[in-house]
Structure formats: structure tokens, C-alpha cells
Amino acid sequence: MSNLRVDGKGRINRDKRIRFTFDGVSYEGFEGDTVASALLANGVHLMGRSFKYHRPRGPVTAGSEEPNALIGTSRGGAGRFEPNTRATVQEIYEGLTTVSQNKWPSLNFDVGAINDKLHKLFAAGFYYKTFMWPKSFWDKVYEPVIRASAGLGVSPSEPDADAYASRYLYAELLIVGAGPAGLAAALTAARNGTDVVLVDENRELGGSLLSEAPASIDGKPTETWLSECIEELSTLPNVRLMTRSVAIGYYHENMVGVAEKLTDHLAYPPAGAPRERMWRIRAKEVILAQGALERPLVFDGNDRPGVMMASAAQTYLNRYGVKVGTAAVVMTSHDSAWYAAFDLVDAGVTIAALVDVRSSVGDHLLSEAQARGITVKTGHTVLSVAGKKRVSGVQVGRVTGDGKVSDITSVSCDTVLMSGGWTPSLHLFSHTKGSLHWDEENEVFLPGEKTERCHIAGGGRGLWSQQAAFDDGVLAAEQALTSLGQTAKTISVDVDGDRAGSGIVMEELPSNDDKLLAGHL
């Protein structure tokens, strides 16, 4: 195994080694790894090519929001090849075959990369004007060539060999997302005897607790508290836990569509078992605890393999025990990236520079950075990235008052971690035609008036700290139970060592019990 694995880190099963292939090369990972985490552990960052210019691509995130690390997967047998699978969510299993996409003849040497050199000739829609002469060539030459080069991946040529199922489910309370807010809401409602369904897209419940754990919860190590919480929920007869399940649509009268993956992580699925099951869940009350998504930053070369979100590096480290590089530059405008940098330094990664566009940050952050020997550049920004198939360095400059930069210097690194703050995940809420309002001070969209019997909790309301998310989950559950005509038994979850990044304080948000406009059951 590569030396990018960190002893004592991660929630993978190191007692079970798994072999899989990527572009015909055999790699080794552990049970619990994704394709992305296993490849990164083996020092592989280049995982694909972009659609038009065939630029090198590697993972940017560690989750389902991944835009770049798209691969083809084969589950064995005819009709079981699938293109455009996110390497960041595909779990590895013995014998899994994966391939990169949009390259020829190979990922490392792609003839199509010439498009990047000729990008000035290939403006958007150039082919509609360029290939008009002679007219007869369009049908026989131009269009066939363009269509052959279009798209990502290779379309399956055989009928799908898998079976699929669908079910209906009814519940008093449906909770989407099993991070701090979702778990707190589930505990509150479950202990009250309410019929609860808790849905999460990952193989494990816990959300951000798996990636950026506080020192302790309720006086116990975070891992112990989480295990006990899941054990309690799993043994209660009024609770259904659904992992590897994605809420894909929120429909009228509180019906939520959930796609549950059943066998995509198994080397030997049971005979006749469906690959996926579609659930149509009708709930009297819904709590959306989907957290927030980290924003990227803009600079020249920010699409290079080795450039990723700061939270992704933190997830690869703490959930999968993988260092995404050996020397990193952190570029940020938010406190959370500082804590990612601290975790990486503590795991043996060199932070070549911590670049923050803000002119001033909290003294506690500066003190922790100084204690770890991190070079801090406030009021600076990353201008460009050096390297083609992998980051080799960056240019950093001081931001002046007139919007220009000065004091430009070069910093060597093999990884760039960026964070432009966080955007509340309100996709499902928007499905209901619920209104959003722009918070000018914090520069985020927040949920406004509702059209369904739903409640937003945690990061979806702009609450970045885990203590605030736990408290808001309890609050959302109490309000949902009140709507159900039940008297909630209040619980409390106390976090010690919480890393509260800059964000919105709960008192500034609209209450979770805003008047509903429609959709009463």
C-alpha cells in the first residue's frame, strides 16, 4: 500500500483488503473505501478527462456532489456496465472493474488533449458556423465525427441485466440526512414513540461527525456516542434506518421519492436480488437535515488534479485514513478550512501556506496555526496553479484595496485545498416551490415560506457549528411533534471541542414553525 495511508485514522476495515482494477491496473484498498479514496491512497489523482478540451480531471469532493471524477464501472456479466459513476461514492468490492472516460488511446496520453491547446478555435457552438461548407459534408462527415466525440463515457450497448423494485411506505416523521441535526431529530422523535424513518445516502450514519469530529459528545468520545446513538435507533421498533438511500424528489402532500441502493457494494449479490429499490414515502411531517455544500474558489488552474475542497481532504483523512497529498496550500475565505489544515498537519501533511483572502481572522485560529508552524498569509489569494496532470505549485499574491494584487510569490505543493464558505443544501426544499430568501450579510440563500409540512434543520438553515446543528435538530423534531399533536420530551446533546466556523447564529434565522401555505395532510 502507498504511504498515503495514515495509521489510526479512518473508519475503514483494515482487516479486509480488497483488490479492484482501474484502467486495467490492479489496486488495493480496504472494506469501506470508495474508488476515489482507494486510488488517492495509492497516489492516483488523475481519474478522467473533461468533455470538450480533454483537460485532466481528479476528485474535487468526497461525496455525491462530485463533478469531475466520473468513471465507468462493470459489475460482471453482460448488461452490467455503467458509465458516469462518481468515483467518490462507488464503494469498492473484490473484483470491481473500473475505467476512466473520455480519453484515447489512454488516460495519461490523450490525443484529444490537443483541443486544450487549440481552445481559442473551439469557442462555444463553433461547429454550427464552422462546418457549413461544403454543405454535403455535414451529414456524411461533420455530424458523425462530432457525435462520435460528444458525451462522457460509453453508452451501454446491451439491455440492463439487473432487476429493480418499488415499494410504498408511510410514516409520521421522515428525516432526510443523518448528520448531527438529523440524528438529534431522530433521537428526540424516537424517544417520544413517534414512527420515524431516517434516510441517508452514505453507507454509515453520522454525516459530518465522520469527517470532523468534535472532542466529545455528552462527555463521551464522538465515536462512542455515535455508535451508541445508532445502536439505540436501530433497536427501537418505531424507527426505520435507511442507508445508501438518496432522496431524489419531494412531491405534493409530503411524498418523498427515495432510491435505495441494495447490491452495488456487493461482490456477490444474492441471486434474484434487485439492484435498487424505489421508495415512495408519504410522511405526515418531514425534516430536511441535508447540511451544506462547500463552495469552490476561482483561480487559474482550479480544475487540476490535486485541487479539491478543504472539507474533502478532511473527509478522506478522517473517514478513509488517506492523505490527499504530502504538501498542501490551503486557499480559503472561511474558518472551516483552517480546521481542515490543522487536521492535516496533525496527520503529517505539510501545509506550505494557509492563504486567506480576509484581511483579519480570529486570534484563536492564528494561535493554533502558529503552534503548528503553519505559514499564514491573510489578505492574500491564489492566482494560478502550476502543473498539468497534477498540481506542482501555486502563485500567491497580496490583495490590495483597488482589487489588484502585489507581492506575487511562488509556493511549491502537490495539493491545493480551497473553501469559499458553505451553501445550504436546499434542493429538496426547492422541489416543493418553497421560497428562498437571500441573506446579504452571510451571502447565502436560506429557506423562506413553506408549501409543505416540512422543517429545515442544521446546515440547511446556515448553522455551521455542530452544537448549533444538534440543537436545531432537537428544535425541528419538537416542532414536528407539536404539529402531530404530540408532546415532545426534550433532549439535549452537549458538544465539547466544537469547531464553530464563521456563520449565522441561530437567533437570526426565521423560526422553523413558519406558517405553512398549503399541503396540509
Side-chain angles (χ1 to χ4, degrees):
M1 297 292 289
S2 169
N3 60 2
L4 293 178
R5 287 287 184 184
V6 182
D7 293 337
K9 285 284 189 179
R11 301 176 62 84
I12 51 177
N13 179 11
R14 295 177 186 260
D15 294 328
K16 186 172 182 180
R17 295 177 181 270
I18 294 175
R19 297 208 68 85
F20 69 103
T21 63
F22 178 66
D23 279 350
V25 179
S26 181
Y27 294 98
E28 187 176 81
F30 294 107
E31 183 180 47
D33 265 323
T34 63
V35 173
S37 67
L39 288 177
L40 289 171
N42 284 277
V44 178
H45 278 72
L46 178 61
M47 300 183 192
R49 293 278 180 169
S50 69
F51 162 59
K52 186 174 180 181
Y53 297 123
H54 290 242
R55 293 165 67 88
R57 289 287 184 262
V60 179
T61 73
S64 59
E65 69 273 28
E66 175 58 37
N68 282 353
L70 304 178
I71 59 174
T73 59
S74 177
R75 290 170 286 111
R80 289 193 164 90
F81 172 80
E82 182 176 83
N84 296 323
T85 300
R86 290 181 293 275
T88 52
V89 299
Q90 174 62 57
E91 299 174 48
I92 64 170
Y93 54 80
E94 193 66 35
L96 172 66
T97 300
T98 65
V99 294
S100 58
Q101 301 184 151
N102 204 40
K103 87 289 183 182
W104 185 85
S106 69
L107 179 60
N108 193 53
F109 179 74
D110 178 21
V111 172
I114 191 65
N115 290 357
D116 192 21
K117 300 291 186 182
L118 304 176
H119 66 276
K120 292 184 178 180
L121 301 178
F122 299 144
F126 75 96
Y127 30 78
Y128 294 116
K129 297 179 179 179
T130 306
F131 299 122
M132 298 303 293
W133 183 91
K135 187 175 182 181
S136 60
F137 272 38
W138 176 255
D139 292 332
K140 297 179 180 180
V141 179
Y142 300 146
E143 186 179 31
V145 171
I146 292 171
R147 288 192 180 279
S149 63
L152 281 172
V154 179
S155 297
S157 58
E158 298 169 316
D160 191 340
D162 288 303
Y164 300 84
S166 63
R167 294 288 187 275
Y168 286 89
L169 183 63
Y170 298 88
E172 289 183 297
L173 176 62
L174 169 64
I175 303 171
V176 180
L183 289 174
L187 282 175
T188 302
R191 291 175 181 175
N192 197 68
T194 305
D195 178 28
V196 176
V197 175
L198 177 60
V199 170
D200 194 89
E201 65 180 355
N202 297 298
R203 63 184 291 268
E204 287 187 281
L205 305 181
S208 62
L209 296 178
L210 305 176
S211 302
E212 44 181 298
S216 66
I217 302 176
D218 287 344
K220 304 173 185 177
T222 297
E223 186 172 348
T224 301
W225 182 91
L226 181 59
S227 297
E228 292 178 356
C229 171
I230 295 173
E231 177 67 20
E232 177 181 349
L233 291 173
S234 62
T235 56
L236 290 173
N238 56 313
V239 177
R240 178 192 288 265
L241 303 180
M242 298 177 63
T243 56
R244 299 187 179 94
S245 300
V246 181
I248 61 173
Y250 194 151
Y251 308 98
H252 191 48
E253 298 292 349
N254 263 17
M255 187 179 81
V256 178
V258 175
E260 180 184 18
K261 294 182 178 180
L262 301 173
T263 63
D264 277 1
H265 61 290
L266 301 177
Y268 305 102
R275 180 186 175 194
E276 296 180 2
R277 180 180 291 123
M278 172 61 72
W279 291 92
R280 297 171 177 84
I281 304 178
R282 183 82 70 177
K284 292 182 179 179
E285 298 286 328
V286 173
I287 293 177
L288 300 178
Q290 299 168 275
L293 300 177
E294 195 167 24
R295 302 172 185 166
L297 290 169
V298 179
F299 45 86
D300 183 27
N302 69 346
D303 60 346
R304 291 286 187 270
V307 179
M308 64 177 63
M309 299 298 181
S311 62
Q314 200 170 20
T315 296
Y316 286 120
L317 176 65
N318 294 322
R319 189 181 298 187
Y320 301 107
V322 175
K323 294 186 291 187
V324 296
T326 57
V329 167
V330 179
M331 164 63 177
T332 185
S333 61
H334 194 272
D335 289 0
S336 61
W338 288 67
Y339 295 110
F342 299 158
D343 282 357
L344 292 171
V345 169
D346 294 344
V349 178
T350 298
I351 301 298
L354 203 165
V355 183
D356 198 315
V357 297
R358 298 173 296 180
S359 58
S360 62
V361 297
D363 290 339
H364 64 291
L365 296 176
L366 294 172
S367 297
E368 287 199 49
Q370 184 178 16
R372 291 172 170 84
I374 299 175
T375 299
V376 174
K377 293 179 176 291
T378 56
H380 282 67
T381 187
V382 169
L383 302 173
S384 62
V385 171
K388 187 65 176 177
K389 297 174 185 175
R390 177 68 191 276
V391 170
S392 62
V394 296
Q395 278 198 325
V396 176
R398 179 184 299 277
V399 180
T400 60
D402 55 3
K404 298 180 180 179
V405 294
S406 62
D407 302 331
I408 298 175
T409 58
S410 296
V411 180
S412 297
C413 63
D414 61 9
T415 309
V416 178
L417 308 178
M418 55 184 173
S419 176
W422 297 82
T423 296
S425 185
L426 296 171
H427 309 71
L428 283 182
F429 178 73
S430 296
H431 286 195
T432 69
K433 292 187 178 182
S435 66
L436 302 179
H437 72 85
W438 176 251
D439 186 288
E440 184 66 34
E441 179 181 356
N442 297 285
E443 298 182 341
V444 294
F445 280 105
L446 296 175
E449 293 180 305
K450 309 167 189 175
T451 64
E452 298 286 342
R453 294 179 63 169
C454 71
H455 311 265
I456 319 297
R461 293 213 299 149
L463 304 176
W464 310 141
S465 79
Q466 290 178 338
Q467 183 65 71
F470 275 120
D471 294 344
D472 204 43
V474 172
L475 175 63
E478 291 174 347
Q479 293 170 349
L481 297 184
T482 299
S483 297
L484 291 170
Q486 303 175 12
T487 302
K489 301 175 183 177
T490 301
I491 71 167
S492 63
V493 181
D494 297 318
V495 176
D496 181 34
D498 188 16
R499 295 170 163 185
S502 59
I504 304 167
V505 295
M506 190 154 47
E507 289 75 18
E508 295 176 350
L509 289 168
S511 172
N512 246 329
D513 59 1
D514 288 341
K515 182 180 179 181
L516 299 174
L517 300 181
H520 293 273
L521 296 178

